[in-house]
């Protein structure tokens, strides 16, 4: 999505008003709140399914920290 919008991760961070820690968590496929997802979607003018994908990975456990 960032490539399509010709935008860098840091630009999206500032646009959506999220912290660098949240951006790092997203880059590591860790948990981020739905509030964060909503902020990004609203600012990037996209839907959740355009931004993320749910997969069934039996080898991993959810990160709840």
């Amino acid at each position: 999505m960032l490539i399509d919008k010709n935008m860098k991760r840091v630009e999206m961070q500032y646009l959506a008003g999220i912290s660098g820690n949240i951006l790092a968590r997203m880059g590591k496929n860790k948990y981020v709140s739905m509030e964060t997802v909503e902020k990004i979607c609203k600012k990037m003018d996209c839907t959740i399914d355009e931004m993320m994908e749910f997969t069934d990975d039996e080898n991993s456990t959810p990160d709840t920290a």
Side-chain angles (χ1 to χ4, degrees):
M1 180 176 53
L2 292 174
I3 292 170
D4 293 340
K5 295 186 182 278
N6 195 27
M7 184 179 285
K8 295 181 181 177
R9 290 168 36 109
V10 174
E11 293 171 322
M12 188 259 312
Q13 173 190 344
Y14 291 120
L15 178 69
I18 61 174
S19 73
N21 289 340
I22 292 173
L23 191 63
R25 293 183 67 77
M26 290 175 65
K28 296 176 184 176
N29 291 324
K30 302 267 184 158
Y31 172 82
V32 294
S33 72
M34 285 303 295
E35 180 181 2
T36 298
V37 173
E38 179 184 16
K39 283 180 183 180
I40 294 169
C41 287
K42 284 183 176 180
K43 294 295 182 173
M44 298 291 290
D45 191 30
C46 67
T47 61
I48 290 175
D49 62 325
E50 292 174 302
M51 188 180 101
M52 57 194 298
E53 175 183 27
F54 292 99
T55 59
D56 186 18
D57 187 1
E58 295 178 7
N59 297 326
S60 68
T61 58
D63 180 18
T64 57

